[in-house]
Amino acid sequence: MRAPLRPRSGCLVLCLSVSLLMLLLQVMWVPPETARDAPPGRGPSDREGPRHSVRRLALRLDSLSSQMQRLAREREEPPSAQPDIVHILQTFRQEHRNLQQTMEKELLHMSQKLDQLLQRTPAALPHEHASHGGLPRACEVPNNPEFALCAGKVEFLRASWRSDACYAFYGVDGSTCSILAYLSEREDFCPPLPGRNRTTLPWHQQPSGHKEEAVIQTDFRPLYESMGSGQGPAARFMRSRIEGLAARWREAGESMRLRIPHGAARRLRVLLYPGILAGGTGQRFEETLERGGPLGELVQWADVSAAIFVLGHNLTFAASQTRLLSLIGAAPGRGSCPILRPLPFDLIYTDYHGLAHLQGAMGLSFQHYQCRFRILDSFGTEPAFNIREYARRRGYSTAWGSWGLQPLQYMTMFPHTPDNSFMGFVSEVVGSGWEVSTKEHRKEDMAVVYGKQEYMWQGKKGYLEVIGRELELHATVFQPPGRPSALPDFISNHGLLPQDRLQQLLLRAKARRSRRRGSARECDAELISQLFVGLGFPYEGPAPLEAVALGCVFLQPRFQPPHSAENSNFYQGKPTSRQVHSQHPYAEDFIGKPYVWTVDMDNSTEVREAVRAIMRTEVKPFIPREFTCEGMLERVYAYITHQEFCGASLPAWPPEGALSARLGALGQSCVAVCRRASLVCEPALFHHLNQPAAFKRLGLVCASTEREVDHLFPSYNPWGRRCSLQEDQRLFSCAGAHPSYSRLCPCRAYQPGQEPRSDSELPEGPRRFLRPACPLCRARRSVKLLRREWFLNRRRSVAARALAENLPRVKHKGAHYRR
């Protein structure tokens, strides 16, 4: 008797559940393209907003509840039946009452949720963004040759205006009139509609000009407030670094105050947006910091923030995409539309991640304002990788390049190439208080190894064993809890240390100098040098310079063959063709011995002799000027004052009087040509050489002159006497070289100790520093230049005769000709 009743009750419950579910889906369903971003703008059919839909849902739920109650009353009087049937019906009624109570509770809970939704429902958007008032009823797509792209844009928006909520936000509803109004008043692809005057695009209009003077600031509290009270490891590190260097920033700022003319600099509104700290990338980056991840980017961001602030500019700091969108006035949606208002910042400092975020939020206005961007790019972007179409045709396409900016808008950590601007950072100096506190804890014959993660130590055991026979080795490697160490047994690991404790450990790492007196070997009581040992990775970090600033000697491996994108996974995809000959090329080339020693890691004899020579060498703490607070302030001041990329005119700084034109040898880059003459290549002066008269001034006769898009031009091809000029100024490159071309190179002099400044400028003139920093290095370099000049003079006559007779050139190292 129970069999025919249970399916019936189950069907009833199932039908009620399905009906309720279908009703909810029917009422609350929103198209996917509008549900993603909840666009503020809506079409005419749903102008009443979400409140009406929610009330309609509530009425339907009340109706459903009433039907359930009526059904329950109808079942209150069961027909007469046998006792077992009565018992079954009573059980069914009890189950039904329980089901009814459960559903009523669910309906009450849903009603409360709906009330909360009604309270939180935003008010209607302002009318200015909801629709275009005064539109004609019918519009035709104009056929105007001045707006050749108009028809294509109209067709595109007809098919895809729902793909981004920003179009509805700006009043597009799919009609031709609304599309034409948007394309003429928010973008500039179509002429204005009849009766509507064409004005400047809202995001083109400049806010009221401000002429406030930039004044040196030494109170860092506004900077700390701008950076916020973030509790993440990145924010804590940056703030602690600024606080630790605050006294030196104040001292450097007071020195700059005396040197900057009154009223020389206008106070700018500057936004700093380190995109590497935003979104999912930022979360992953901060997680790596707690496991020994790279700190170089944060070091530079902290120092750039402090330098801009000290120079007196209005600084805003953003570390999240939400705050970025709010600051720049981005329209809601996916970023296909321009921003709401003119960009409120004169300069935006960001990185490659932040550049992608800005492009995804600014739409058409991204291209308009990209001249205001400054990109912190640790390893640099060469011009050949910078333009998408050119890079694709010539095989230079990478994951990070092809943004089409001016190459000088990329700012590097070290002076890799003159094509980019050298921003740098500050190399910390420990005060006398630490020196006193660590004297009694110093340990003789001790060295610290540079490498915070275990993978950096793989394959280095033999190299470290040679050093370990002379010195006691210490490490600061991150060690996960409960995991055995993979380091060699003779390494003392202190675990991951904060910056201050690492510096204290370096101060303790003293190596003794020993000497023989008669037949007995005695040790001096004076502790001479500290040793900081490189493992080959990470490349070009700030730690070696900070170690040298503490009085350490940096020992690093030499790379043979050099590391590049062709043989190194690290450099693959980076927009540079550099050949890296050691772990830290800057330290090797521009500081050198006795502070930096470069050895073949696989040659145990060379390593052992280098360590013993270091133990016999006396060094003092040394900081290249360009890595001091004052040196960085000089560079940042020069960049902000003189670099201008928004105008159509040619660069006016450095002045033409600083130009020293040089003709390079075949296959030689302008970097090498200028360096050989103890000068520096200046890409901002290329346009003075990009004309036929420049070839005549260098004594060259051109059989033909042509303009092409090529990063090697302007240049001269002696076979055929072809003179080639550059068509695209963004491809002016100091780094390019080819065996068939002699480059025309714009060289200039520089101020010793701060290459970004020429000799005739005060705090003016940026980019690279190009000289050995120490006196011994300068003397050694002078001897090297004299020897090289003698060798070139000896070979020059042979090369010139072969060129004149149009014979094959004699290929030998250093062969060079120059008119």
Side-chain angles (χ1 to χ4, degrees):
M1 298 294 293
R2 298 185 182 182
L5 292 176
R6 287 195 177 274
R8 185 175 180 183
S9 61
C11 290
L12 177 62
V13 175
L14 180 62
C15 291
L16 290 173
S17 302
V18 171
S19 300
L20 180 61
L21 178 62
M22 293 299 292
L23 182 61
L24 290 174
L25 291 176
Q26 179 182 359
V27 176
M28 300 191 71
W29 181 81
V30 182
E33 63 270 14
T34 58
R36 257 185 216 103
D37 301 291
R42 294 175 174 79
S45 61
D46 56 350
R47 190 75 63 176
E48 63 271 9
R51 295 176 182 268
H52 179 78
S53 299
V54 170
R55 291 192 180 95
R56 187 172 58 206
L57 174 61
L59 292 174
R60 294 194 180 185
L61 290 175
D62 290 341
S63 175
L64 178 61
S65 178
S66 301
Q67 293 177 8
M68 292 180 61
Q69 293 177 2
R70 180 175 55 81
L71 180 61
R73 286 195 299 269
E74 291 177 354
R75 292 183 173 274
E76 286 296 333
E77 296 295 334
S80 57
Q82 299 294 330
D84 54 346
I85 298 179
V86 174
H87 175 73
I88 292 172
L89 291 175
Q90 290 176 351
T91 304
F92 173 74
R93 280 198 298 269
Q94 184 62 35
E95 293 177 354
H96 186 269
R97 290 193 187 98
N98 294 338
L99 176 62
Q100 180 180 353
Q101 293 174 0
T102 301
M103 295 193 68
E104 287 178 353
K105 290 180 181 180
E106 291 296 329
L107 289 172
L108 178 62
H109 178 70
M110 185 176 294
S111 177
Q112 294 173 353
K113 291 290 184 181
L114 292 174
D115 291 340
Q116 295 176 7
L117 179 63
L118 286 171
Q119 295 174 2
R120 291 198 301 263
T121 300
L125 289 166
H127 182 69
E128 57 177 323
H129 296 307
S131 63
H132 294 283
L135 287 178
R137 295 183 178 180
C139 300
E140 293 185 1
V141 179
N143 185 15
N144 190 331
E146 296 182 4
F147 299 90
L149 299 178
C150 180
K153 286 290 183 178
V154 171
E155 291 300 320
F156 169 78
L157 280 182
R158 280 175 179 168
S160 59
W161 71 274
R162 294 182 183 273
S163 63
D164 196 324
C166 69
Y167 295 120
F169 177 76
Y170 281 130
V172 177
D173 57 11
S175 64
T176 302
C177 292
S178 66
I179 293 174
L180 288 173
Y182 169 81
L183 292 175
S184 61
E185 298 173 11
R186 289 291 170 177
E187 298 184 5
D188 53 1
F189 292 107
C190 295
L193 292 173
R196 301 171 73 93
N197 294 329
R198 183 179 180 86
T199 59
T200 304
L201 297 177
W203 46 274
H204 272 198
Q205 297 172 358
Q206 294 297 324
S208 57
H210 57 288
K211 302 295 183 181
E212 187 179 356
E213 179 186 356
V215 180
I216 297 295
Q217 304 176 106
T218 55
D219 183 1
F220 284 89
R221 285 176 294 183
L223 175 60
Y224 301 147
E225 294 175 1
S226 176
M227 297 182 69
S229 57
Q231 299 301 315
R236 291 196 301 267
F237 175 84
M238 293 174 63
R239 176 159 181 167
S240 65
R241 178 175 176 82
I242 296 174
E243 291 174 346
L245 289 172
R248 294 183 179 86
W249 282 118
R250 294 189 186 98
E251 182 181 352
E254 293 300 333
S255 175
M256 289 290 291
R257 190 196 304 272
L258 300 176
R259 301 163 58 193
I260 298 176
H262 178 71
R266 180 172 62 93
R267 192 171 194 236
L268 302 181
R269 299 155 300 180
V270 181
L271 171 64
L272 265 67
Y273 177 64
I276 196 172
L277 301 182
T281 303
Q283 295 177 358
R284 292 188 295 272
F285 179 77
E286 294 205 347
E287 290 173 359
T288 63
L289 294 181
E290 299 176 342
R291 301 193 300 268
L295 292 174
E297 289 89 346
L298 297 184
V299 166
Q300 190 176 38
W301 275 111
D303 295 346
V304 170
S305 304
I308 295 174
F309 178 82
V310 170
L311 290 173
H313 299 288
N314 184 4
L315 188 65
T316 303
F317 190 89
S320 69
Q321 288 181 261
T322 302
R323 178 160 169 76
L324 173 70
L325 299 181
S326 174
L327 290 171
I328 66 175
R334 299 180 179 179
S336 302
C337 304
I339 55 180
L340 297 171
R341 55 183 180 271
L343 190 67
F345 299 102
D346 301 296
L347 292 174
I348 295 181
Y349 287 80
T350 186
D351 51 21
Y352 267 122
H353 297 280
L355 197 61
H357 297 165
L358 286 166
Q359 185 189 45
M362 297 182 67
L364 188 65
S365 52
F366 175 83
Q367 186 175 2
H368 178 75
Y369 286 115
Q370 66 181 10
C371 60
R372 301 188 186 184
F373 301 154
R374 304 292 184 267
I375 313 304
L376 268 61
D377 179 13
S378 297
F379 296 94
T381 298
E382 295 179 8
F385 299 81
N386 183 44
I387 302 177
R388 186 178 303 277
E389 183 60 26
Y390 180 82
R392 185 188 61 80
R393 291 199 322 264
R394 299 297 184 93
Y396 293 108
S397 296
T398 62
W400 296 102
S402 304
W403 284 95
L405 305 178
Q406 292 291 338
L408 292 177
Q409 290 180 254
Y410 299 100
M411 299 187 156
T412 60
M413 183 168 286
F414 290 98
H416 306 306
T417 168
D419 295 320
N420 302 145
S421 298
F422 164 47
M423 175 60 76
F425 58 96
V426 172
S427 183
E428 291 191 35
V429 184
V430 177
S432 59
W434 272 11
E435 287 281 1
V436 173
S437 64
T438 55
K439 270 186 178 179
E440 57 187 29
H441 299 292
R442 286 175 180 170
K443 185 169 183 176
E444 300 176 357
D445 299 342
M446 172 181 164
V448 177
V449 182
Y450 177 30
K452 297 183 293 184
Q453 294 181 308
E454 288 184 347
Y455 75 89
M456 301 176 184
W457 295 65
Q458 295 176 3
K460 311 297 191 303
K461 185 175 181 180
Y463 167 63
L464 294 173
E465 283 179 343
V466 176
I467 302 175
R469 295 189 190 105
E470 307 291 333
L471 299 169
E472 181 181 312
L473 296 181
H474 292 250
T476 58
V477 179
F478 171 74
Q479 189 64 43
R483 177 179 166 185
S485 175
L487 302 182
D489 296 336
F490 54 87
I491 303 292
S492 299
N493 186 19
H494 298 257
L496 194 60
L497 298 179
Q499 195 78 356
D500 55 347
R501 292 185 59 191
L502 174 61
Q503 292 180 352
Q504 293 179 20
L505 180 64
L506 286 171
L507 286 174
R508 292 177 54 200
K510 293 289 183 177
R512 285 188 305 182
R513 179 177 66 179
S514 62
R515 65 183 180 186
R516 289 188 177 272
R517 293 182 180 176
S519 60
R521 181 171 179 173
E522 301 177 5
C523 295
D524 288 348
E526 182 184 7
L527 299 173
I528 301 301
S529 62
Q530 311 167 39
L531 187 59
F532 193 50
V533 180
L535 296 173
F537 191 85
Y539 300 106
E540 301 176 295
L545 264 68
E546 294 178 349
V548 170
L550 293 170
C552 290
V553 174
F554 179 50
L555 179 68
Q556 64 169 349
R558 182 186 302 115
F559 299 148
Q560 187 61 37
H563 289 188
S564 66
E566 298 178 357
N567 58 12
S568 171
N569 292 332
F570 181 83
Y571 282 104
Q572 286 182 1
K574 288 182 170 56
T576 178
S577 59
R578 294 175 58 215
Q579 301 283 327
V580 180
H581 294 267
S582 63
Q583 180 176 357
H584 208 294
Y586 173 88
E588 178 186 10
D589 296 338
F590 303 135
I591 299 179
K593 294 179 180 179
Y595 298 98
V596 179
W597 294 63
T598 305
V599 296
D600 181 359
M601 190 166 50
D602 298 325
N603 188 334
S604 59
T605 301
E606 183 181 0
V607 174
R608 181 170 53 254
E609 292 301 321
V611 173
R612 291 177 178 176
I614 291 171
M615 296 172 66
R616 296 190 300 268
T617 304
E618 180 179 0
V619 298
K620 296 180 180 179
F622 172 74
I623 310 174
R625 176 176 173 78
E626 62 275 11
F627 288 99
T628 63
C629 290
E630 188 170 356
M632 187 164 186
L633 286 179
E634 291 174 350
R635 280 195 307 279
V636 176
Y637 173 85
Y639 292 140
I640 292 178
T641 305
H642 296 288
Q643 284 187 339
E644 175 57 55
F645 304 111
C646 292
S649 59
L650 296 172
W653 177 83
E656 186 178 2
L659 172 65
S660 177
R662 301 276 170 161
L663 179 67
L666 294 173
Q668 198 173 27
S669 71
C670 286
V671 175
V673 172
C674 297
R675 182 179 297 180
R676 177 182 170 276
S678 298
L679 301 172
V680 61
C681 180
E682 178 54 69
L685 297 173
F686 258 119
H687 65 276
H688 295 296
L689 302 181
N690 197 40
Q691 47 188 302
F695 293 88
K696 295 181 181 179
R697 288 195 295 267
L698 290 172
L700 300 174
V701 178
C702 302
S704 62
T705 303
E706 56 188 7
R707 286 185 176 271
E708 295 183 22
V709 177
D710 196 307
H711 70 285
L712 300 173
F713 297 161
S715 61
Y716 178 74
N717 187 335
W719 291 276
R721 295 180 297 175
R722 293 176 54 194
C723 297
S724 302
L725 301 176
Q726 180 61 259
E727 183 71 23
D728 191 336
Q729 296 183 16
R730 293 173 298 175
L731 286 174
F732 283 141
S733 174
C734 292
H738 192 276
S740 299
Y741 294 105
S742 293
R743 302 284 314 277
L744 270 67
C745 301
C747 305
R748 69 168 173 85
Y750 56 90
Q751 180 177 354
Q754 179 70 303
E755 180 276 337
R757 292 166 50 194
S758 66
D759 294 325
S760 61
E761 296 170 335
L762 182 59
E764 303 180 359
R767 240 157 347 270
R768 299 118 310 259
F769 147 76
L770 191 74
R771 62 156 182 85
C774 59
L776 180 61
C777 300
R778 287 199 295 271
R780 189 168 58 250
R781 178 174 174 81
S782 299
V783 173
K784 184 178 179 181
L785 287 175
L786 289 175
R787 292 179 61 187
R788 180 174 177 80
E789 189 67 28
W790 174 85
F791 178 81
L792 294 175
N793 288 334
R794 184 180 177 184
R795 302 292 184 181
R796 189 170 297 159
S797 59
V798 177
R801 186 170 62 254
L803 179 64
E805 297 174 0
N806 201 17
L807 297 176
R809 286 182 53 84
V810 178
K811 295 186 178 179
H812 51 76
K813 182 177 180 181
H816 176 81
Y817 91 96
R818 182 180 62 188
R819 300 249 178 189

